[in-house]
């Protein structure tokens, strides 16, 4: 069992890299997406909405196949790793945009009115008044999403990324079908997600503490 | 204050035939109003009369469907949509204080007051902080510069909100029920600051239910009902001796509550 566990550890850096990079892409792309979702004109709103619904509707495994075998073979050659990062990043953007949107909805309407009345431009209002407050309330749901993303990226093994899950499958086959590798993987993923959850809670408490009475 | 009764020069704020609609609801009807430099106007009237709507039209937080709006150096015809640039210019000429204070909770008191100066007027941080310090003295909260708004009482927050608006050197200050969200004792400090502001010659439009404050500080009382100005004049006349039965009833109802 310990041997299996140690073997799986080799997959951790790849799993973390896919998760981290996909999250980063999603966190950045989620910003224009939520702004489009909240735009005054209907066209950007519609586009953002369709993107979000489509990305959240497709099973990740299907989406990765489309990116890797469809896009990857025909248009640009993508390594399994890059295809996984891109694919999971594009999905993350949809989820994170919705998390940001929820953050905007928690802001009292008076915040925007006060900024507007002071004569701040729309960009300044966003940058100095709204976004920092949205970010604060988004920390906790973002961390929850990060943990679920870590688990979801196990599908990357299906397109050949040598992550933890790939090693699990190999170990299981080598051992002739025992389930020890799966137990080891479960333990490993729990251990990986705990620090994220703890970090999220501390950051969330710190950020809220400042605003709350 | 009573000196302002015979205003010299052009009005600081001038509304001509302003109309505001929410769908089918005609919230402000053909309202015209001139306010002189240094004049303090109290706006009163029953709930739903359109007081907030009219006040928020002066800095275009509400968009009138027609009319002409003049504030400070700017005159806008509202038949067409104002450009972003025109809107910013208008808002730089006005300061607004809200019932709910609306301080930015993630910034210290100092930052709340300094940041708009830096972004809107282009002041340096040092300049802005100097103005902020002076204004904090003026609202009697010099010791709260580094506090976050959540640590302050409602009355203190509202005085910070007044300082934040004043920091941009507005031509007119707009107040929408500045003490309505406060316990009566906490409201007193806010009213005191407003009284000092009026004495310093600031042009002010104050939507309020504080009739005593209106009687003491205002040069003119405007009574609104159903989207129209139904009566206006010096407080002595309008409050003590209202002409319309509707106005008489309104003031009687308010005085009975006190
Ligand atoms: N955003 C809005 N959408 C639709 N109707 C509105 C909106 N804001 C105000 N109204 C309506 O316009 C009318 C005037 O409202 P307003 O808030 O200006 O009244 P008010 O005189 O300030 O009343 P109060 O003393 O209760 O604050 C009311 O009938 C109100 O219901
Ligand atoms: Mg109102």
């Amino acid at each position: 069992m310990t041997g299996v566990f140690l073997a799986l550890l080799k997959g951790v850096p790849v799993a973390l890299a896919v998760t981290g990079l996909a999250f980063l892409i999603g966190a950045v792309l989620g910003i224009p997406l939520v702004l489009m979702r909240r735009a005054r004109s209907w066209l950007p709103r519609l586009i953002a909405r369709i993107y979000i619904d489509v990305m959240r509707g497709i099973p990740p495994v299907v989406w990765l196949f489309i990116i890797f075998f469809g896009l990857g073979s025909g248009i640009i050659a993508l390594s399994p790793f890059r295809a996984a990062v891109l694919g999971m990043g594009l999905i993350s953007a949809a989820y994170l945009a919705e998390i940001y949107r929820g953050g905007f909805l928690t802001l009292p309407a008076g915040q925007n009115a006060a900024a507007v009345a002071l004569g701040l431009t729309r960009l300044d209002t966003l940058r100095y008044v709204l976004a920092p407050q949205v970010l604060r309330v988004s920390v906790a749901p973002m961390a929850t999403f990060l943990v679920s993303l870590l688990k979801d990226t196990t599908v990357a093994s299906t397109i050949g990324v040598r992550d933890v899950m790939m090693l699990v499958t190999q170990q299981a086959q080598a051992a002739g079908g025992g389930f020890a590798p799966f137990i080891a993987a479960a333990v490993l993923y729990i251990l990986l997600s705990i620090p994220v959850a703890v970090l999220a809670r501390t950051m969330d408490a710190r950020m809220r503490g400042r605003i709350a009475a | 204050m009573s000196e302002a009764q015979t205003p010299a020069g052009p009005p600081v704020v001038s509304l001509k035939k302003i109309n505001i609609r929410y769908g089918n609801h005609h919230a402000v009807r053909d309202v015209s109003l001139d306010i002189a430099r240094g004049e303090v106007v109290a706006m009163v009237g029953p709930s739903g009369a359109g007081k907030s709507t009219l006040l928020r039209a002066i800095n275009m937080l509400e968009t009138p469907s027609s009319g002409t709006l003049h504030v400070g150096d700017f005159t806008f015809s509202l038949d067409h949509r104002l450009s972003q640039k025109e809107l910013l210019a208008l808002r730089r000429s006005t300061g607004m204080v809200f019932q709910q204070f609306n301080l930015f909770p993630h910034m210290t008191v100092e930052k709340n007051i300094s940041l708009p100066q830096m972004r809107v007027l282009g002041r340096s941080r040092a300049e802005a902080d100097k103005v902020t310090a002076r204004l904090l003295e003026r609202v009697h909260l010099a010791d709260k510069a580094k506090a976050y708004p959540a640590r302050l009482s409602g009355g203190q927050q509202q005085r910070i909100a007044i300082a934040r608006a004043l920091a941009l050197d507005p031509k007119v200050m707009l107040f929408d029920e500045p003490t309505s969200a406060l316990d009566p004792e906490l409201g007193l400090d806010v009213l005191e600051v407003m009284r000092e502001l009026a004495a310093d010659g600031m042009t002010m439009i104050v939507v309020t239910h504080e009739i005593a404050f209106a009687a003491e500080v205002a040069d003119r009382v405007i009574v609104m009902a159903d989207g129209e100005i139904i009566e206006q004049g010096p407080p002595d006349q309008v409050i003590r001796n209202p002409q319309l039965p509707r106005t008489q009833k309104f003031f009687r109802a308010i005085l009975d509550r006190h």
Side-chain angles (χ1 to χ4, degrees), chain A:
Chain A
M1 181 82 181
T2 333
V4 176
F5 192 82
L6 289 177
L8 296 188
L9 279 182
K10 280 193 226 130
V12 168
V14 173
L16 289 184
V18 174
T19 306
L21 291 173
F23 186 80
L24 205 66
I25 290 176
V28 172
L29 286 188
I31 295 169
L33 207 51
V34 73
L35 296 181
M36 284 169 70
R37 188 80 172 70
R38 292 170 43 82
R40 283 187 203 172
S41 31
W42 61 272
L43 187 60
R45 274 210 312 268
L46 183 70
I47 294 171
R49 188 132 185 203
I50 291 175
Y51 179 89
I52 290 168
D53 287 349
V54 167
M55 280 301 153
R56 295 197 305 177
I58 304 181
V61 62
V62 175
W63 179 234
L64 286 198
F65 271 62
I66 292 175
I67 294 264
F68 184 61
F69 294 112
L71 196 69
S73 63
I75 307 157
I76 22 164
L78 284 173
S79 68
F81 178 80
R82 290 192 178 173
V85 167
L86 179 66
M88 296 312 285
L90 292 176
I91 294 176
S92 301
Y95 282 95
L96 288 165
E98 283 298 279
I99 288 175
Y100 298 153
R101 194 169 73 90
F104 273 104
L105 293 177
T106 65
L107 298 188
Q111 290 291 305
N112 189 61
V116 168
L118 285 164
L120 291 172
T121 61
R122 269 198 249 161
L123 187 62
D124 277 355
T125 299
L126 184 66
R127 179 166 157 206
Y128 294 104
V129 178
L130 305 181
Q133 297 187 67
V134 168
L135 196 63
R136 277 169 168 76
V137 294
S138 298
V139 165
M142 282 171 86
T144 306
F145 173 74
L146 181 57
V147 171
S148 75
L149 182 65
L150 177 66
K151 294 184 290 179
D152 285 348
T153 53
T154 49
V155 303
S157 65
T158 59
I159 56 168
V161 176
R162 296 188 58 78
D163 68 349
V164 176
M165 202 53 209
M166 170 76 94
L167 298 177
V168 170
T169 321
Q170 286 173 354
Q171 291 279 335
Q173 277 161 0
F179 64 81
F182 295 102
I183 301 288
V187 173
L188 186 56
Y189 271 96
I190 291 169
L191 290 179
L192 286 177
S193 56
I194 287 175
V196 179
V198 170
L199 187 73
R201 261 180 231 136
T202 2
M203 276 179 69
D204 188 49
R206 262 231 320 258
M207 291 190 155
R208 270 166 210 277
R210 203 185 271 166
I211 309 181

Side-chain angles (χ1 to χ4, degrees), chain A residues 118, chain B residues 95-98 101 103 109-117 121 123 128 131-142 155-170 173 175 190 193-194 197 202:
Chain A
L118 285 164
Chain B
M96 179 167 259
V97 175
F98 301 85
F101 334 132
L103 292 180
V109 161
E110 183 177 56
K111 186 103 187 277
N112 261 279
I113 306 175
S114 288
L115 180 95
Q117 299 177 57
L121 301 182
R123 285 180 187 153
V131 173
T132 298
R134 186 161 50 70
L135 284 165
L136 283 176
E137 294 278 351
R138 189 159 166 195
V139 299
H140 316 297
L141 290 170
Q156 291 172 331
Q157 289 190 51
Q158 191 62 298
R159 283 183 279 153
I160 300 298
I162 293 173
R164 181 174 69 176
L166 285 176
L168 300 180
D169 302 324
M173 285 285 285
F175 296 85
V190 174
V193 165
M194 291 172 64
L197 204 54
M202 176 59 75

Side-chain angles (χ1 to χ4, degrees), chain B residues 48 50-53 99 176-177 207:
Chain B
K51 307 179 296 292
S52 298
T53 306
Q99 186 175 339
D176 193 356
E177 302 198 32
V207 174

Side-chain angles (χ1 to χ4, degrees), chain B residues 40-89:
Chain B
V40 177
V41 171
M43 209 187 289
V44 302
S47 183
K51 307 179 296 292
S52 298
T53 306
L54 182 63
L55 192 75
R56 291 162 65 92
I58 297 174
N59 63 3
M60 291 290 282
L61 282 185
E62 304 291 343
T63 310
S65 53
S66 67
T68 310
L69 173 60
H70 166 92
V71 178
D73 305 323
F74 303 99
T75 305
F76 304 109
S77 163
L78 302 172
D79 302 327
H80 67 95
R81 270 184 63 168
L82 299 194
S83 69
Q84 201 59 25
K85 224 174 121 195
E86 290 174 313
L87 286 173
L88 291 178

